[in-house]
């Protein structure tokens, strides 16, 4: 079975961060190893979250334990997300290097894929991590990424380029010189996700929802990671990932659910959605 290393937040009562990603990846028979950067009771958007950041010595100790058990050599996907300190970011960077350097069975022919979600802020909120954390992500994790997964605001902060529409998202993404999936890209009454690398670009868009629980970006990253491990084409993998998020948000609104109903939507997150339009960009 594929194995994913998730270095991000663990939130007991909210489907965000590594909590949401582990729930989603399980539906694709992908085992997960969660190294939490914070232990919260609820998403901070609800108020004081409870809990606390995980001390750096605990994060490093957990990563050391995984490595000592030979699990880095079995890791197929690494996803990084929310960090509470620059020291945690540097620990994640060292872990990425160790995963890539770990001996692995050559019979599989699969190298680990590193997906960096530069979780640092959003439109209307601005930067919601300390500046030193955002700077460490840009300096230590972005260069190590195989795929970068920012929202539009984060991409703009990383590149300095405006991201107002899909065309702007493609231009900004290509400044990073590596594959990028950009969420929260606006176009008229639609919202979507842009994939861009040096050769091609795609937009998967759908109508904006009235309300969207927190964690959609985390879910998107996990679903796109699953498509990579399955060997899906870029366009299909993007359409399915965006469709899974859109269907889950729709269900949350219909059921008046305060959090993303990821487990309840297990069957739908593995299928494309008729509400999502896929379009190739120049």
């Amino acid at each position: 079975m594929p194995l994913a290393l998730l270095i991000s937040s663990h939130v007991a009562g909210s489907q965000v961060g590594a909590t949401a990603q582990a729930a989603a990846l399980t539906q694709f028979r992908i085992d997960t190893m969660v190294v939490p950067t914070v232990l919260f009771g609820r998403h901070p958007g609800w108020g004081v979250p409870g809990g606390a950041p995980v001390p750096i010595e605990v994060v490093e100790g957990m990563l050391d334990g995984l490595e000592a058990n030979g699990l880095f050599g079995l890791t197929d996907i690494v996803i990084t997300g929310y960090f509470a300190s620059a020291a945690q970011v540097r620990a994640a960077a060292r872990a990425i290097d160790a995963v890539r350097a770990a001996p692995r069975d050559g019979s599989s022919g699969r190298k680990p894929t590193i997906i960096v979600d530069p979780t640092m802020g959003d439109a209307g909120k601005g930067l919601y991590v300390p500046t030193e954390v955002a700077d460490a992500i840009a300096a230590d994790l972005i260069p190590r990424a195989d795929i970068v997964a920012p929202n539009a605001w984060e991409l703009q902060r990383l590149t300095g380029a405006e991201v107002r529409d899909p065309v702007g998202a493609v231009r900004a993404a290509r400044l990073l010189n590596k594959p990028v999936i950009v969420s929260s890209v606006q176009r008229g009454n639609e919202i979507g996700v842009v994939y861009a690398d040096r050769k091609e670009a795609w937009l998967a868009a759908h109508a904006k929802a009235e309300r969207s629980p927190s964690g959609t970006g985390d879910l998107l990253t996990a679903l796109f990671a699953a498509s990579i491990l399955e060997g899906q084409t870029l366009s299909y993998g993007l359409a399915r990932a965006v469709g899974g998020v859109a269907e889950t948000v729709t269900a949350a609104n219909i059921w008046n659910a305060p959090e993303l109903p990821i487990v309840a939507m297990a069957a739908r997150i593995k299928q494309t959605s008729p509400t999502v339009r896929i379009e190739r960009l120049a």
Side-chain angles (χ1 to χ4, degrees), residues 37 54-57 59-60 63 83-94 132-133 136 140:
T37 54
V54 177
I56 183 58
E57 59 269 20
V59 173
E60 291 177 331
L63 291 168
F83 293 97
S85 70
Q88 290 180 346
V89 176
R90 291 190 288 269
R94 291 191 294 271
E132 57 267 25
V133 171
D140 296 325

Side-chain angles (χ1 to χ4, degrees), residues 132-199:
E132 57 267 25
V133 171
D135 291 345
I137 291 171
D140 296 325
L141 294 185
I142 298 299
R144 288 174 165 84
D146 294 310
I147 300 171
V148 184
N151 61 37
W153 186 92
E154 290 160 344
L155 179 61
Q156 186 165 309
R157 190 181 194 281
L158 287 168
T159 64
E162 289 188 341
V163 184
R164 295 183 177 180
D165 55 24
V167 173
V170 172
R171 290 173 179 167
R174 285 177 171 159
L175 294 175
L176 293 179
N177 292 315
K178 56 186 61 195
V180 177
I181 51 171
V182 192
S183 59
S184 303
V185 179
Q186 310 282 336
R187 184 162 76 175
N189 65 346
E190 290 186 321
I191 190 166
V193 178
V194 168
Y195 170 90
D197 59 26
R198 301 306 302 175
K199 297 180 180 180

